[in-house]
Amino acid sequence: MSQRQVLQVFEQYQRARTQFVQAVAELAARPQNIETLQSAGVMSLLRPLLLDVVPTIQQTAALALGRLANYNDDLAEAVVKGDILPQLVCSLSEQNRFYKKAAAFVLRAVGKHSPQLAQAIVQCGALEMLVICLEDFDPGVKEAASWALGYIARHNSELSQAVVDAGAVPLVVLCIQEPEIALKRIAASTLSDISKHSPELAQTVVDAGAIAHLAQMILNPDAKLKRQVLSALSQIAKHSVDLAELVVEAEIFPVVFTCLKDSDEYVKKNGATLIREIAKHTPELSQLIVNTGGVAAVIDCIGSCRGTVRLPGIMMLGYVAAHSENLSMAVIVSKGIPSLCACLTEEHEDHIKAAAAWALGQIGRHTPEHARAVAESNVLPTLLAMYMDIHSSEDLQIKTKKALKNILQKCTYLPALEPLLHDAPPNIMKHIVGQFSKVLPHDSKARRLFVTTGGLKKLQEIQAEPGSLLQEYINTINNCYPEEIVRYYSPGYSEILLERLENYHPVS
């Protein structure tokens, strides 16, 4: 047998391995093939190919494994149990850029499913290798490594801390400054994933100088990059007043308000979330947002979108209004109430309605003037109907009840309270009747109106527990009127009159 024939055997074997691994990688890209591949024992066949002498076979084997692991946690678990991770990590440092990208993809695909699988990646020493890849010359390798680190960090603070301890943060901050948009996006996303768990982790990102670089990219034309940048700044700002102030000092106002007009829904949502996370901390930060035109911008944003995109804006208005009478008045003056009322009636999701109800309660809870502004929008019957609707979620019922209570306890604008007298259950009724009992003794015009609109008649029909607060309020109101008027409107009085009529014998 000639040397040529001998080598031919090896060539055929190599061709077969190449064809096999390429076919598996292609098949693994389609979900419908996954189960068949798994039952055919694909994992154990791919594993030795990771150490193949031919680089393209190694890379394609890694790509196939990544696609399989990406599909579900069972397959990711199989990668861990098959001792594949140590092989990948081992080869990461010495292989070419294609292999590094494919290996980082496998690590990301395994780590994304659960904290336990991400922990397995940490334990096999992968973080150090991924951090080395962040310094690679090739932007694609940096991107793949940053992506894997972000997927590990996002699970919990312990894993995020492990990523920080491996020295990733300063290098990820350098990646944001690279010219490639894709790398910037992934790096910003990774910083967001690291920052979100605790003030300490967010501080690590801040100490690496991330805020200034992120803030500069708020106006970048790339929508996906803006989403990640706004998310990262939100995750930093949410933890404490100090961190929120550091974000504000990067001069993000009023620049960030342009994001609320963006054509990309997620840019809008993340922009509103960032403003909300800053507004919630202190009256001073909320005042700064008001002064730079933030409240009007958020109200416009709520009006121009639907669904969950509205949620952070709704909550931001609630947080601003909650801080003080003046800030609540700023929301009223900017026409915040009609927008929130629209959210209550237009939205189908209970959690969005609940947020709008909460925000209206925060606006109306300060003074009679604030409560009247809310009550005049005719939203109280809507809130009451949602509270009493058996199909409303428990959270929506709690929020609407609290909002009603907040507004009613301050509301002295009786025409808005009158319609509620006919429908409210006793626990809400006591707040409504309580407000009438405060106003009617001092206002003769209101007393007259209360009779002509049927309020006094309705009051006599209310079944109150003797000695209860509600009964006291009813007595206070009844004491504002002559006894015969109260008796006239009491249930059964017409029968008594008829009876007297029957028993009356005129003097002839």
Side-chain angles (χ1 to χ4, degrees):
M1 194 182 259
S2 69
Q3 187 184 5
R4 177 91 194 93
Q5 287 169 310
V6 173
L7 290 173
Q8 221 171 348
V9 173
F10 284 93
E11 281 169 19
Q12 279 175 326
Y13 179 46
Q14 183 175 321
R15 259 200 309 277
R17 297 197 315 278
T18 307
Q19 283 171 342
F20 171 75
V21 85
Q22 284 174 344
V24 168
E26 289 212 0
L27 289 167
R30 287 186 285 280
Q32 63 268 32
N33 301 328
I34 300 287
E35 277 183 37
T36 317
L37 287 169
Q38 195 177 359
S39 55
V42 71
M43 287 295 188
S44 54
L45 293 170
L46 285 172
R47 188 183 165 212
L49 297 177
L50 285 172
L51 298 174
D52 201 278
V53 288
V54 182
T56 52
I57 292 175
Q58 287 188 350
Q59 292 148 26
T60 317
L63 178 65
L65 276 168
R67 284 176 177 170
L68 289 162
N70 200 32
Y71 181 67
N72 67 25
D73 46 1
D74 287 344
L75 287 158
E77 194 83 53
V79 171
V80 174
K81 289 196 174 127
D83 267 345
I84 290 167
L85 293 179
Q87 286 183 359
L88 279 173
V89 173
C90 212
S91 320
L92 252 180
S93 53
E94 60 232 25
Q95 293 291 350
N96 66 20
R97 62 200 171 107
F98 301 108
Y99 184 84
K100 285 176 180 171
K101 276 192 265 191
F105 170 51
V106 179
L107 294 170
R108 176 182 112 219
V110 172
K112 79 170 193 178
H113 293 291
S114 70
Q116 293 74 24
L117 287 164
Q119 189 59 48
I121 291 173
V122 174
Q123 280 163 348
C124 74
L127 294 186
E128 289 70 18
M129 288 304 162
L130 286 168
V131 169
I132 290 167
C133 288
L134 287 175
E135 296 186 89
D136 198 274
F137 183 70
D138 183 80
V141 174
K142 289 179 180 169
E143 190 187 320
S146 181
W147 210 342
L149 289 164
Y151 269 50
I152 293 163
R154 69 172 51 173
H155 290 294
N156 58 42
S157 53
E158 290 77 16
L159 286 161
S160 191
Q161 190 63 53
V163 170
V164 168
D165 294 343
V169 174
L171 295 170
V172 177
V173 173
L174 284 174
C175 289
I176 307 181
Q177 299 164 62
E178 295 283 348
E180 291 80 15
I181 289 288
L183 179 54
K184 285 178 184 287
R185 285 179 196 156
I186 301 298
S189 168
T190 302
L191 291 174
S192 180
D193 286 331
I194 292 169
S195 305
K196 71 180 184 182
H197 302 290
S198 71
E200 294 73 26
L201 286 160
Q203 191 64 52
T204 312
V205 171
V206 171
D207 293 343
I211 291 177
H213 298 296
L214 289 166
Q216 281 168 3
M217 293 188 285
I218 289 173
L219 290 179
N220 192 291
D222 183 79
K224 286 181 180 169
L225 176 57
K226 277 192 284 199
R227 290 178 193 175
Q228 302 300 349
V229 164
L230 294 165
S231 168
L233 289 169
S234 303
Q235 299 293 10
I236 293 167
K238 75 178 185 182
H239 294 292
S240 69
V241 178
D242 292 344
L243 287 164
E245 284 175 349
L246 288 171
V247 172
V248 170
E249 281 165 21
E251 297 182 0
I252 63 162
F253 297 128
V255 178
V256 78
F257 303 146
T258 57
C259 297
L260 301 178
K261 295 188 177 75
D262 203 276
S263 56
D264 185 283
E265 297 282 78
Y266 290 100
V267 171
K268 278 185 179 178
K269 187 178 182 184
N270 292 0
T273 303
L274 172 56
I275 300 163
R276 177 193 75 194
E277 296 298 5
I278 291 168
K280 74 180 184 185
H281 289 295
T282 64
E284 292 73 25
L285 285 167
S286 275
Q287 190 65 57
L288 176 72
I289 291 167
V290 170
N291 295 350
T292 47
V295 168
V298 167
I299 291 166
D300 286 347
C301 175
I302 292 172
S304 70
C305 55
R306 295 284 178 277
T308 53
V309 183
R310 283 175 150 177
L311 195 57
I314 292 169
M315 292 177 70
M316 177 268 185
L317 294 177
Y319 281 130
V320 171
H323 284 305
S324 72
E325 289 178 20
N326 288 347
L327 286 164
S328 181
M329 198 45 81
V331 175
I332 293 169
V333 170
S334 300
K335 310 266 189 301
I337 293 171
S339 284
L340 291 169
C341 293
C343 294
L344 264 187
T345 51
E346 291 167 4
E347 290 300 331
H348 304 297
E349 299 277 338
D350 277 10
H351 68 282
I352 304 173
K353 293 181 191 175
W358 169 79
L360 286 164
Q362 297 307 314
I363 295 169
R365 73 185 179 87
H366 296 286
T367 69
E369 193 184 355
H370 291 79
R372 177 170 181 160
V374 178
E376 281 183 329
S377 68
N378 200 28
V379 75
L380 296 181
T382 309
L383 288 170
L384 183 62
M386 284 179 184
Y387 168 60
M388 293 173 70
D389 187 346
I390 53 166
H391 301 296
S392 293
S393 68
E394 189 185 351
D395 179 53
L396 179 55
Q397 289 179 335
I398 291 167
K399 296 280 198 310
T400 45
K401 179 187 173 187
K402 187 88 172 75
L404 279 166
K405 196 173 157 187
N406 281 344
I407 300 160
L408 291 171
Q409 284 176 336
K410 293 290 179 196
C411 187
T412 53
Y413 180 61
L414 300 187
L417 301 184
E418 191 109 7
L420 305 184
L421 276 174
H422 301 277
D423 303 309
N427 59 340
I428 301 291
M429 187 66 84
K430 71 173 180 214
H431 299 297
I432 302 164
V433 177
Q435 293 309 102
F436 278 103
S437 75
K438 286 179 198 167
V439 177
L440 293 175
H442 315 291
D443 188 336
S444 58
K445 195 175 162 194
R447 285 199 295 275
R448 183 184 174 83
L449 213 57
F450 191 59
V451 175
T452 55
T453 55
L456 189 64
K457 180 176 187 297
K458 175 63 195 165
L459 195 72
Q460 308 315 313
E461 293 164 10
I462 294 170
Q463 303 290 317
E465 293 276 322
S468 66
L469 203 53
L470 179 55
Q471 187 61 59
E472 276 181 42
Y473 292 148
I474 292 170
N475 294 344
T476 305
I477 296 169
N478 285 344
N479 290 339
C480 299
Y481 295 95
E483 198 181 327
E484 60 269 26
I485 288 183
V486 175
R487 212 175 323 140
Y488 177 75
Y489 285 110
S490 297
Y493 185 67
S494 52
E495 283 82 9
I496 295 167
L497 282 181
L498 286 169
E499 206 176 293
R500 280 172 63 183
L501 187 63
E502 280 170 23
N503 298 332
Y504 183 70
H505 303 292
V507 180
S508 51

